[in-house]
Amino acid sequence: MNEQTISRFAIILLALVMAVFGIYHFVSPQNLITYVPSFLPAVGNLWVYIPGAAFILAAVAFITNKKVKLAAYLLAILLFIFVLTIHLPNFLNGSNIEYRQLSLINLLKDTAIAAFALHIAANSSN
């Protein structure tokens, strides 16, 4: 396998993960609504559905190889927003050690995925 094939495989794998995350946001919003920062206005599940749609749209862009650069940059921004507004505060202010550990894992996961998205964007021609 050449590097281009391996790179394309990695991007499609990320797309599948993003699609699963996105679908989960629509299937089980009640499990995610507790993570919505309190400074956002309460509008039902909208704050869960928007990132879910963003994850699905990023997955579609990556799989179809259309608007990849834009999708990857927007995905990275979204994930960094999650890190700064959800995971970091939960890590710093968690009520118990297990919750803080889970928050740290999510912080590192989203940072790593955002870094991969930035790599995709920087190397994409479309």
Side-chain angles (χ1 to χ4, degrees), residues 78-89:
L78 177 64
L79 291 170
F80 284 132
I81 289 171
F82 285 178
V83 166
L84 294 174
T85 63
I86 299 170
H87 305 315
L88 184 60

Side-chain angles (χ1 to χ4, degrees), residues 26-79:
F26 285 96
V27 172
S28 300
Q30 67 280 0
N31 294 339
L32 300 170
I33 197 75
T34 58
Y35 293 104
V36 174
S38 60
F39 61 81
L40 292 174
V43 287
N45 293 335
L46 182 66
W47 296 117
V48 175
Y49 293 146
I50 290 172
F55 289 149
I56 292 169
L57 290 171
V60 169
F62 293 162
I63 290 170
T64 62
N65 207 24
K66 305 284 184 197
K67 300 290 184 186
V68 172
K69 186 179 288 284
L70 175 63
Y73 278 131
L74 292 175
L75 177 61
I77 290 168
L78 177 64
L79 291 170

Side-chain angles (χ1 to χ4, degrees), residues 2-125:
N2 64 25
E3 288 180 19
Q4 186 175 6
T5 302
I6 294 170
S7 178
R8 187 75 188 123
F9 175 76
I11 292 169
I12 290 173
L13 188 58
L14 174 64
L16 294 174
V17 170
M18 291 295 98
V20 170
F21 282 159
I23 291 167
Y24 185 74
H25 278 69
F26 285 96
V27 172
S28 300
Q30 67 280 0
N31 294 339
L32 300 170
I33 197 75
T34 58
Y35 293 104
V36 174
S38 60
F39 61 81
L40 292 174
V43 287
N45 293 335
L46 182 66
W47 296 117
V48 175
Y49 293 146
I50 290 172
F55 289 149
I56 292 169
L57 290 171
V60 169
F62 293 162
I63 290 170
T64 62
N65 207 24
K66 305 284 184 197
K67 300 290 184 186
V68 172
K69 186 179 288 284
L70 175 63
Y73 278 131
L74 292 175
L75 177 61
I77 290 168
L78 177 64
L79 291 170
F80 284 132
I81 289 171
F82 285 178
V83 166
L84 294 174
T85 63
I86 299 170
H87 305 315
L88 184 60
N90 287 344
F91 173 70
L92 296 174
N93 305 312
S95 58
N96 60 54
I97 189 70
E98 292 85 10
Y99 189 72
R100 288 192 301 274
Q101 287 174 339
L102 179 61
S103 298
L104 178 61
I105 291 167
N106 285 326
L107 183 151
L108 295 172
K109 170 194 55 90
D110 282 356
T111 300
I113 295 171
F116 184 35
L118 289 174
H119 179 73
I120 291 168
N123 291 288
S124 177
S125 60

